[in-house]
Amino acid sequence: MVKSREWSRKTREEVITLHRKGNGYKKIAKMLNLPRETIGSIIRKFKAKGNGYKKIAKMLNIPRETIGSIIRKFKAKGTVETLPGRGRKKMLTSTAVRYLKRRVEKSPRVTAEELRKDLSDVGTEVSAQTIRRTLRNEGLHARSPRRTPLLSPKNKKSRLQYAKSHVDKPQKFWDSVLWTDETKLELIGPMDQRYVWRRKNKAYEEKNTLPAVKHGGGSIMLWGCFASAGTGKLQRVQGTMNSLQYQEILDDNVMQSVTNLRLGRRWTFQQDNDPKHTSKSTRAWLQIKGWNILEWPSQSPDLNPIENLWWDLKKAVAVRKPKNVTELEAFAHDEWAKIPVDRCKTLVSSYASRLKAVITVKGCCTKIECHLGVE
């Protein structure tokens, strides 16, 4: 219990003033050296019938005004804990927030400044920074858009039709497909790290810069193939590839890869719709070969699992930091051969999920494609 001489240091008027200034019981109790147990005792005695403010004050030797403020708060709020304040009034009403959300979801490229002007036209004056903060609180963040192929309505329709007609194919069919494609490897390319940790005004220190070399510092074009059983042949394309060179590459590598990967007789050849692949001479050449060709929708790198292997290859080669084109090619062959069979098998076994993703988005670009980017 608090002794009466302790209360003599604080006059009754001071206690009332502290309460009127918004001080909760914890703060007043601390200032007056009032233990929490005493607060509990006040509430218990108040709940007991026949105990008024004056009687409780006399029993506990505490000023009646303090007893009254504690009990009145308990009666009004159901607690004597310090409740959070209302805080500053929000600049934007819930209606304005809903408008901002609808606007950016409909037009993701709209800027915060444009949104500020829209609100200003209807009498709501806020800063662009307030709008950005509000949208972030709603889970909407400004981010760089992902690069994806430009899909025409015809492309979307073709992609959707392909996905629907192949989604029910058995896994055995996909395991017998030889996936092929070309890619470009650069000495200094997009796989290099683009972010550095640095201090202010240190942007141009050599360790914080990325050297820019004209024409990328050298690059090579590669043709490769793989199947569920592992990676197949990888060959460098000399110069600019035309239909004739493409046919020569296929002649040198495809059947050898089919044999090495044990795809059997009923295997399927996959290629995209690059003009060199679909030219009149290439179609005639493929017809003579008698290979079973997988129909392919245009603008569909997300449907070719070899794109994932190109991504793996570029990361692995970049880590080895080739100094010239010769090393670049040698490292590429080394890393291609190191790609685990399990990685290839997983990519092919999950192919049905790619088709389902295309169906879900009605032929539009999928998340897989956005992740890989567009070469």
Side-chain angles (χ1 to χ4, degrees):
M1 184 182 297
V2 181
K3 297 180 179 179
S4 58
R5 64 173 178 272
E6 294 177 350
W7 285 99
S8 64
R9 301 172 190 154
K10 295 285 184 180
T11 63
R12 179 177 299 178
E13 290 76 12
E14 287 176 323
V15 173
I16 296 173
T17 300
L18 288 173
H19 174 67
R20 286 176 177 173
K21 285 184 176 180
N23 294 301
Y25 86 90
K26 287 183 180 178
K27 191 170 183 180
I28 296 176
K30 184 177 181 180
M31 297 172 70
L32 301 178
N33 197 24
L34 190 64
R36 287 183 61 111
E37 292 77 7
T38 302
I39 301 293
S41 179
I42 292 173
I43 300 303
R44 287 193 297 272
K45 292 184 182 300
F46 166 71
K47 290 180 178 180
K49 293 182 179 180
N51 291 327
Y53 295 176
K54 186 175 181 180
K55 186 175 181 180
I56 296 174
K58 185 176 181 181
M59 292 168 64
L60 299 178
N61 197 18
I62 297 175
R64 188 177 62 181
E65 285 73 14
T66 301
I67 299 294
S69 66
I70 292 173
I71 293 177
R72 283 192 296 273
K73 181 174 182 178
F74 178 78
K75 291 168 68 176
K77 305 293 184 181
T79 180
V80 291
E81 296 290 339
T82 302
L83 300 174
R86 295 182 60 187
R88 180 182 176 183
K89 185 179 179 181
K90 291 184 177 181
M91 298 291 291
L92 291 173
T93 63
S94 58
T95 301
V97 173
R98 287 196 300 272
Y99 165 77
L100 292 175
K101 290 169 63 177
R102 288 196 304 269
R103 185 85 159 82
V104 298
E105 287 170 355
K106 184 178 180 180
S107 304
R109 295 182 182 275
V110 67
T111 65
E113 183 60 27
E114 290 171 340
L115 293 172
R116 186 196 66 76
K117 291 179 181 178
D118 289 348
L119 292 178
S120 179
D121 291 342
V122 295
T124 301
E125 297 292 342
V126 293
S127 67
Q129 184 58 35
T130 296
I131 291 174
R132 295 187 191 98
R133 183 172 58 252
T134 300
L135 290 175
R136 284 196 297 269
N137 291 339
E138 295 296 324
L140 295 164
H141 304 272
R143 296 287 187 266
S144 298
R146 302 296 188 187
R147 296 177 60 200
T148 60
L150 179 62
L151 296 177
S152 66
K154 183 179 179 180
N155 294 145
K156 295 176 185 178
K157 183 178 179 180
S158 176
R159 285 164 52 83
L160 183 59
Q161 183 178 356
Y162 170 84
K164 287 182 176 180
S165 62
H166 289 80
V167 70
D168 293 325
K169 290 278 187 182
Q171 186 58 43
K172 184 178 179 180
F173 172 81
W174 299 117
D175 288 339
S176 66
V177 174
L178 184 71
W179 306 91
T180 72
D181 194 22
E182 299 90 36
T183 192
K184 184 168 76 171
L185 240 59
E186 298 177 338
L187 280 174
I188 299 179
M191 294 304 300
D192 290 302
Q193 187 175 348
R194 296 295 182 177
Y195 298 95
V196 295
W197 293 101
R198 64 172 177 82
R199 296 185 182 278
K200 188 177 180 180
N201 300 324
K202 301 292 184 180
Y204 289 95
E205 288 189 1
E206 185 175 2
K207 65 180 180 179
N208 296 330
T209 62
L210 180 65
V213 182
K214 288 186 177 181
H215 312 297
S219 63
I220 59 174
M221 182 68 72
L222 296 172
W223 176 93
C225 63
F226 94 104
S228 177
T231 54
K233 291 286 189 177
L234 183 72
Q235 180 171 326
R236 179 179 176 181
V237 177
Q238 299 294 339
T240 302
M241 185 168 66
N242 55 28
S243 297
L244 182 59
Q245 187 181 9
Y246 177 64
Q247 294 162 27
E248 291 174 352
I249 290 174
L250 297 186
D251 202 28
D252 293 339
N253 296 281
V254 169
M255 291 310 300
Q256 185 63 55
S257 297
V258 170
T259 301
N260 294 343
L261 296 171
R262 299 179 181 180
L263 297 184
R265 290 185 176 183
R266 303 184 65 178
W267 64 280
T268 300
F269 176 73
Q270 179 276 332
Q271 63 175 2
D272 61 27
N273 292 330
D274 185 280
K276 299 180 288 295
H277 305 171
T278 58
S279 67
K280 187 175 181 179
S281 65
T282 299
R283 289 201 306 269
W285 186 88
L286 289 171
Q287 188 174 7
I288 294 173
K289 289 292 184 181
W291 298 345
N292 181 34
I293 310 298
L294 180 65
E295 63 173 301
W296 196 254
S298 299
Q299 299 289 74
S300 301
D302 56 332
L303 291 176
N304 192 348
I306 200 173
E307 295 289 348
N308 298 79
L309 294 191
W310 289 144
W311 183 264
D312 295 346
L313 178 67
K314 291 176 181 180
K315 287 194 296 183
V317 171
V319 169
R320 298 181 65 173
K321 301 186 183 301
K323 298 181 178 63
N324 50 55
V325 172
T326 302
E327 286 191 353
L328 183 65
E329 182 179 359
F331 293 167
H333 281 280
D334 288 345
E335 297 301 330
W336 184 253
K338 292 178 183 177
I339 293 177
V341 173
D342 286 346
R343 171 64 166 157
C344 300
K345 188 175 182 65
T346 299
L347 288 173
V348 177
S349 63
S350 62
Y351 194 71
S353 64
R354 294 175 184 253
L355 300 179
K356 292 176 182 177
V358 172
I359 295 173
T360 300
V361 296
K362 299 180 180 179
C364 292
C365 295
T366 62
K367 182 178 179 180
I368 297 173
E369 184 167 343
C370 293
H371 167 70
L372 296 174
V374 182
E375 294 190 34

